[in-house]
Amino acid sequence: MRYDAVVFDLDGTLVDSAPDMARAINGVLATRGRRALSLAEVISFIGSGARILVQRSLRATGGIEGEDDALAEFLRRYETGVDHETAVYTGVMEMLGALRAAGLPMALCTNKPEAPARDLSARLGLGGFFPVIVGGDTLPVLKPDPAPLHHAITGLSADPARTLYVGDSETDYKTARAAQVDFAFVEGGYQSRPIPDFAPTHRLARPALVGDLVLSGVVTR
C-alpha cells in the first residue's frame, strides 16, 4: 500500500453537518434581530473555524459588532444539538471499517472546535475509528497552517511521506500543501468555488472511495 495512515477532515468530508451549524448561527442572528442565512450561505462560510463562521455571518447581516458574545452563543447553541440533522455520508462507515480492518491508523484534523468534534464523532459512531482528533482549538493555530495536520500525524506515530490527508475544501488543500502531505480531494462537499492553481494528488467523487484508493489503488467512480 502507498499509504500507512490516513487523516480526514470532518465537515463536508465525512459528515454533512451544515444544517446543524445553520440552525445554531441563525439562532444567534435571530436574537440580534438579523435575517436568517440560507443553507447555501452558511456552507460558503464553513471551513475556517467557528470564529470565522460567526464573523462572516455577522458581516453578511449587518456588521460584526458583538463578535465575542455571538461566538460564545453560537458554540452553546451548536453544542446542544450537534447531531440533530447531521448525517454521515453514504458509504463512509463501511470505508472506515475497511481501513481499520486493514490496520491503517486514522485521525481527524478539523477546524471545528475539539469538544464538539469529539462529541459529534461519538454520537454518530465515528469516534472509535479515530484515536487522534485535532480540532480548531487544539493548537494556537488552525488550518491551513500545517501544524494541526502535523500534530495529527505525530499522534498516530506516522510518517508524513506515507500519510494521506482527505478533505473537501481549499483550506484542506492548502493545509496538505503546506504540510507536504499527499491530498485526496472529495468532490461534493462544502467547496463552492473553484480553487486557484488546484492540483490535488487525487480527486474522488465521494468519500467512500478513499478505501479503494488506499487499499488497492484502483478507484471506480
Side-chain angles (χ1 to χ4, degrees):
M1 290 184 292
R2 179 174 177 178
Y3 301 109
D4 297 331
V6 185
V7 181
F8 292 89
D9 175 51
L10 182 59
D11 301 301
T13 299
L14 298 179
V15 302
D16 181 11
S17 53
D20 282 321
M21 284 190 271
R23 171 192 49 77
I25 193 61
N26 279 330
V28 172
L29 295 173
T31 62
R32 288 157 176 75
R34 308 279 186 97
R35 70 171 179 87
L37 296 170
S38 69
L39 182 60
E41 286 179 294
V42 174
I43 287 174
S44 73
F45 296 160
I46 292 172
S48 298
R51 180 173 291 277
I52 299 301
L53 170 60
V54 169
Q55 286 178 352
R56 291 170 174 169
S57 299
L58 292 175
R59 187 174 291 114
T61 58
I64 64 170
E65 63 274 5
E67 172 191 332
D68 289 342
D69 288 342
L71 174 61
E73 183 181 348
F74 169 76
L75 292 174
R76 287 195 302 271
R77 287 177 177 272
Y78 183 61
E79 290 173 8
T80 61
V82 294
D83 64 339
H84 283 180
E85 298 181 72
T86 296
V88 180
Y89 286 123
T90 301
V92 162
M93 299 299 288
E94 293 81 3
M95 175 269 292
L96 294 175
L99 293 178
R100 180 170 61 184
L104 269 83
M106 295 177 283
L108 285 180
C109 182
T110 173
N111 273 344
K112 184 189 295 295
E114 184 177 339
R118 289 184 177 278
D119 185 29
L120 178 61
S121 298
R123 289 173 181 265
L124 296 180
L126 297 171
F129 294 109
F130 301 114
V132 175
I133 296 178
V134 178
D137 56 356
T138 303
L139 301 178
V141 294
L142 291 80
K143 301 182 298 182
D145 191 290
L149 180 53
H150 281 149
H151 190 67
I153 294 170
T154 298
L156 294 177
S157 299
D159 179 357
R162 293 187 59 82
T163 298
L164 178 68
Y165 183 46
V166 182
D168 71 302
S169 71
E170 182 174 5
T171 295
D172 296 323
Y173 175 56
K174 289 180 176 180
T175 302
R177 289 189 65 181
Q180 297 185 305
V181 170
D182 280 8
F183 179 63
F185 177 72
V186 176
E187 299 172 351
Y190 293 162
Q191 182 65 35
S192 57
R193 294 179 297 275
I195 300 173
D197 302 318
F198 190 46
T201 317
H202 311 280
R203 293 187 75 145
L204 302 175
R206 54 190 186 278
L209 295 176
V210 173
D212 294 344
L213 170 65
V214 172
L215 298 178
S216 71
V218 178
V219 177
T220 303
R221 291 180 68 89

